[in-house]
Amino acid sequence: MDILVISAGLSQPSSTRMLADRLTDAAVRHLGNHDQDAEVTTVELRDLAIDVTNKLVSQYTSPALERALAHVRSADALVVVSPIFNGSMSGLFKMFFDLVPPDDLAGTPVLLGATGGTPRHSLAIEHGLRPMFAYLRALTVPTSVYAATDDWGADSTLGVRIDRAGADLAAVLVRSPRPERVDPYEEVTPFSTLLGG
Amino acid sequence: MQVGVFGIGDVTTDPTTGRTPSEHDRIKDTIAIAKKAEEVGLDVFATGEHHNPPFVAPANPTVLLAHLAAVTERLILSTATTLITTNDPVRLAEDYAYLQHLADGRIDLVMGRGNTGPVYPWFGKDIRQGIGLAVENYALLHELWRTDVVDWQGKFRTPLQGFTSTPRPMDGLPPFVWHGSIRSPEIAEQAAYYGDGFFANNIFWPKEHFQQLITLYRKRFEHYGHGSADQAIVGLGGQFFMRRNSQDAVNEFRPYFDNAPVYGHGPSLEEFSSQTPLTVGSPQEVIEKTLEFTQSFGSYQRQLFLLDHAGLPLKTTFEQLDLLGEILPTLRAEWEARRPAHVPADPPTHPSRLAARENAAAEANDTLVGATSTTSTPDSTTPDSTTPDSTKEG
């Protein structure tokens, strides 16, 4: 299983990346219980921030951005984690996914995570991230994990929630793998069909 | 190889002087640039079609091209592109056939869909139907040029009963058509289906993307029986800013690049140059980068450069054309050295297609004679056909 992790954390290290890593570890562990191996690639969006902006304003696609977008399309599952700013996902996170064509994530299991400075952002995943992935027709897993500053303290249920989310992703991935992607440059719609359409 | 220039007539402030040319200046400059292109030995001038400021490319390219036909002698006049989505195919059939007569056959067209959302509703069309419009409209245009009396019904236009598009194409040969696309496999498929040319304006995107599109077009061209994949008719874009000394080119062009409406305030000049055809440097660097296209896409038949843009003054554009004229013999020799014998050197032109039709008619006649007369000798066994002249065919 090819798992692509997208982290939109900004500092080094960021709590967003920490959450992404822990979610991924949990998913990989549970995939192991299903006798599935996983290969994990992590993309830090901060490294692509300028490339994403260049693409938006000038159509210019850097090779690194091209690779990341191709990987979104080919990955078996995504673990995506964004910081929550002013009540919703970070601008960088949204800008990156704005570059993903609607068909490229169709049917791909996606585990959603977010971090924030206050527990009052805890539903931001549900009203911000999940609708966007619904538009992209991704298969978001039921459990999402929001980690506020308090959650990184001692008496938190964060570990339990992370474990449950990892189990969810593994179960969905095993039960409902993403559909095969059709390469539009390989399997072209014949012209007779285009004419008839 | 046909080499030329193309542009969309952007009215852009020169960032080094703050001077903004008037629309009148830009329109007159366009004509001067076309004449200059012919003077320095280029083969093609192509104009965009535009319906919104800050561009002065004509809303109907035939207006500009008809004028250019009168003030040039040799140049092939083309478009980059003609909007096949928002124009009525009946008007395209009529206008471009008329232009073809005015220009004595020195024209061809590149079909495009256009890429700005607002344009479609201005003409009562819907951008979401862009591909469908391109497919249906071109199918009608294709028929109007080939069938004298047309009965037709489609989804996007009033039906036609007993309609004849006039004037009929010159010598009964419709203008050669290219289909331009920067992202749609459907358009590559369309070009392949008809055996038309495919123009990939690769000036913004990395070559890997266009390799996919062009490979698809070539493969499907062969599939539809128009020739082998490497004989398909491919055109490419490109852009450069040249000075004899590489660093002078970079220093002079940088403010134009940094402020250009298309890529300004985006990637750096160096980054953009490393991933796209843009070359800013010496004549030798432009030659080297341009010749890489053959390596990436195979031998192709038309190379258009974007030189007149980003607020560059006319004098500078003229200097670019002069420099292009200087490296042209080298480019032509190198392209020719790389071209396999069975791959066409040039796209079809009016004279070459006329000759091909006459040859085909003569061959058909010979076959007929051969079938009815036991004394005739097929051409292929005569000594003449083994002379070097025979390699010129195609």
Side-chain angles (χ1 to χ4, degrees), chain B residues 19 39 43 50 58 143 217 259 283 321 333 342 356 363 390 392:
Chain B
R19 178 182 174 273
E39 184 192 312
D43 310 301
H50 243 287
E143 186 174 353
Y217 161 66
N259 293 288
L321 283 162
H342 66 285
E363 273 176 33
S390 64
K392 281 183 183 166

Side-chain angles (χ1 to χ4, degrees), chain A residues 54 58-60 63 185 190-191 197, chain B residues 155 183 189 193 205 266-267 275:
Chain A
N54 283 343
S58 74
Q59 295 201 31
Y60 167 78
Y185 300 103
F191 196 71
Chain B
K155 275 203 304 201
R183 60 170 72 91
E189 169 73 2
Y193 174 82
W205 287 18
Q275 297 300 319

Side-chain angles (χ1 to χ4, degrees), chain A residues 50-51 54-55 57-63 66 183-186 188-192 194-197, chain B residues 135 155 183 185-186 189-190 193-194 205-206 209 212-213 216 219-220 224 262-263 266-267 271-272 275:
Chain A
I50 291 166
D51 295 0
N54 283 343
K55 172 72 178 170
V57 301
S58 74
Q59 295 201 31
Y60 167 78
T61 317
S62 74
E66 186 85 45
D183 182 347
Y185 300 103
E186 281 297 325
V188 66
T189 310
F191 196 71
S192 52
L194 290 174
L195 258 184
Chain B
V135 169
K155 275 203 304 201
R183 60 170 72 91
E186 294 92 338
E189 169 73 2
Q190 181 186 33
Y193 174 82
Y194 289 104
W205 287 18
H209 171 77
Q212 287 181 310
L213 261 182
L216 170 64
K219 205 168 68 182
R220 299 297 285 176
Y224 286 115
V262 190
Y263 35 56
E271 202 177 359
F272 195 83
Q275 297 300 319

Side-chain angles (χ1 to χ4, degrees), chain B residues 341-358:
Chain B
H342 66 285
V343 171
D346 294 307
T349 59
H350 193 81
S352 80
R353 293 162 82 217
L354 206 55
R357 188 175 68 183
E358 279 162 11

Side-chain angles (χ1 to χ4, degrees), chain B residues 64-86:
Chain B
L64 171 62
L65 298 184
H67 178 80
L68 293 180
V71 298
T72 59
E73 285 171 9
R74 210 176 39 76
L75 214 51
I76 291 173
L77 305 166
S78 186
T79 60
T81 61
T82 296
L83 300 184
I84 187 62
T85 45
T86 49

